[in-house]
Amino acid sequence: MSTTTTRPGPAERLRGIVPDAEIAAIGPILEEIEELKERRNAVVLAHNYMTPDIFHGASDLRGDSLALAKMAVDTDADVIVMAGVHFMAETAKIVNQDKTVLIPDLEAGCSLADAITGADVRLLKERYPGVPVVTYVNTSADVKAESDICCTSSNAVQVVESLGTDRVIFLPDQYLGRWVATQTDVDIILWEGSCMVHERFTGEELRGYREMNPGIQILAHPECPPDVLAEADYVGSTSGMINWAKTERPRQLVMVTECSMSDNVAAEVPETEFIRPCNLCPHMKRITLHNIRDSLLEMKHEVHVPADIAERARIAVERMLAVQI
């Protein structure tokens, strides 16, 4: 089943993370979600950018894009509810054609995924014949189907180098691609896509944090522009930043990424003061406790990927999962 008798209830999981008054207010809907998960043999997979009530309270499994893809493969639940954005739900369906995958809000999209189409990839392959295509998982199933292999920010360098070629097409995030190019000798052909959250940060902004908070540590996601990465003490994926924070436990910390992630990590590193620049992802924030409940109650909105696209996309995703990091 999707829950066990030894796991603390949702209210207990939130204790000390959100105010007691908020726990009392959302307690009934959290219990309703738990009951529905049990009835449906369902799990809720939550991305790190979910708000704490979802991330710590409603979810069963949580992590970054790579972790969620692996969890989607490994779960024995019949129903997967993706507390994330649409491309994540598509990825879960690609690796689980026999499971029901639900997305609580069909409008939970992604500016980066919208930056490229499968037709764009086909044109690139015509322009650069024989050059392998490495595609970030923040893309549609149609784009994945045109790719040789997928990657996430946590394994992008390893994926690029695993191909054994001197040149690759890297899609669609230009900033992640530029960062990968600094970490490898492989020639990177870029696409000019970007994430609406990460591209808003600036190096000047980070210098201001250092001036106001001497000794502060700055962690940045590689989807940020180069001037931001140049100011960071550590550049890494969502999981990489989390692991760094848990290991180093600095006095003060800035995580240059979607701001709900700082809220979630702060609960696990209470001795660190988090200075929180807040660039919210409006797509992620479309997922709420109420539409998670409604999704389970009404079994909506089910995600479908055409079989021919899913088959080709699955190859690219499985190749990614096979790369060791």
Side-chain angles (χ1 to χ4, degrees):
M1 300 297 288
S2 60
T3 58
T4 67
T5 56
T6 57
R7 189 185 186 212
E12 296 173 73
R13 298 196 294 269
L14 286 172
R15 198 76 61 195
I17 297 174
V18 302
D20 288 347
E22 182 178 343
I23 295 174
I26 64 177
I29 193 168
L30 285 169
E31 290 299 337
E32 193 175 354
I33 289 170
E34 292 296 300
E35 292 169 5
L36 286 164
K37 286 191 292 186
E38 191 72 21
R39 186 193 312 171
R40 305 289 194 194
N41 188 25
V43 291
V44 174
L45 271 60
H47 191 267
N48 296 93
Y49 296 172
M50 288 292 105
T51 51
D53 58 342
I54 296 171
F55 189 79
H56 294 285
S59 72
D60 301 284
L61 302 167
R62 50 192 191 255
D64 63 4
S65 296
L66 179 59
L68 293 179
K70 290 178 177 177
M71 291 170 187
V73 171
D74 295 337
T75 182
D76 60 359
D78 296 320
V79 177
I80 296 171
V81 179
M82 182 57 69
V85 292
H86 196 269
F87 77 78
M88 296 175 182
E90 277 193 332
T91 302
K93 185 63 178 179
I94 286 166
V95 297
N96 282 293
Q97 284 292 297
D98 59 336
K99 295 185 185 298
T100 299
V101 177
L102 306 175
I103 182 83
D105 190 321
L106 288 172
E107 298 301 314
C110 173
S111 60
L112 188 54
D114 289 343
I116 193 167
T117 67
D120 293 325
V121 184
R122 290 190 289 274
L123 287 173
L124 280 168
K125 291 195 290 188
E126 289 178 11
R127 183 177 300 175
Y128 301 100
V131 178
V133 177
V134 178
T135 296
Y136 196 20
V137 291
N138 298 35
T139 47
S140 68
D142 186 38
V143 169
K144 291 181 176 70
E146 298 295 336
S147 308
D148 293 284
I149 188 169
C150 290
C151 74
T152 69
S153 54
S154 60
N155 67 5
V157 175
Q158 290 87 345
V159 165
V160 165
E161 294 187 338
S162 75
L163 297 173
T165 61
D166 57 6
R167 198 180 201 196
V168 302
I169 299 168
F170 190 95
L171 311 170
D173 192 287
Q174 59 178 308
Y175 298 126
L176 176 58
R178 288 174 182 173
W179 178 78
V180 169
T182 69
Q183 308 296 307
T184 180
D185 292 331
V186 178
D187 182 31
I188 307 292
I189 300 168
L190 295 172
W191 182 261
E192 295 296 308
S194 59
C195 166
M196 66 185 296
V197 171
H198 293 97
E199 70 177 350
R200 293 204 299 263
F201 294 103
T202 67
E204 181 180 3
E205 178 183 2
L206 301 193
R207 289 190 291 274
Y209 286 119
R210 288 200 192 278
E211 291 173 5
M212 293 186 292
N213 305 278
I216 196 169
Q217 297 293 292
I218 296 176
L219 313 186
H221 195 282
E223 286 181 20
C224 294
D227 65 323
V228 171
L229 304 187
E231 294 294 331
D233 298 291
Y234 172 85
V235 176
S237 66
T238 298
S239 60
M241 287 193 283
I242 293 170
N243 292 335
W244 192 98
K246 289 180 178 179
T247 301
E248 300 297 328
R249 297 179 180 264
R251 183 178 62 85
Q252 287 185 316
L253 181 64
V254 171
M255 301 187 94
V256 188
T257 186
E258 212 275 351
C259 56
S260 286
M261 182 170 145
S262 293
D263 296 335
N264 293 324
V265 178
E268 301 182 64
V269 192
E271 65 270 37
T272 296
E273 178 188 2
F274 282 73
I275 309 300
R276 305 184 191 190
C278 196
N279 284 342
L280 286 169
C281 174
H283 304 290
M284 289 281 187
K285 296 306 177 278
R286 296 191 70 93
I287 307 301
T288 67
L289 289 177
H290 286 84
N291 59 28
I292 289 173
R293 186 270 314 277
D294 293 346
S295 184
L296 282 163
L297 183 64
E298 302 174 35
M299 294 298 287
K300 67 176 189 182
H301 304 275
E302 187 171 355
V303 174
H304 298 280
V305 179
D308 58 328
I309 292 176
E311 183 177 354
R312 290 183 291 134
R314 189 181 305 114
I315 294 170
V317 173
E318 289 176 346
R319 285 172 177 166
M320 171 188 75
L321 296 176
V323 173
Q324 299 299 312
I325 59 172

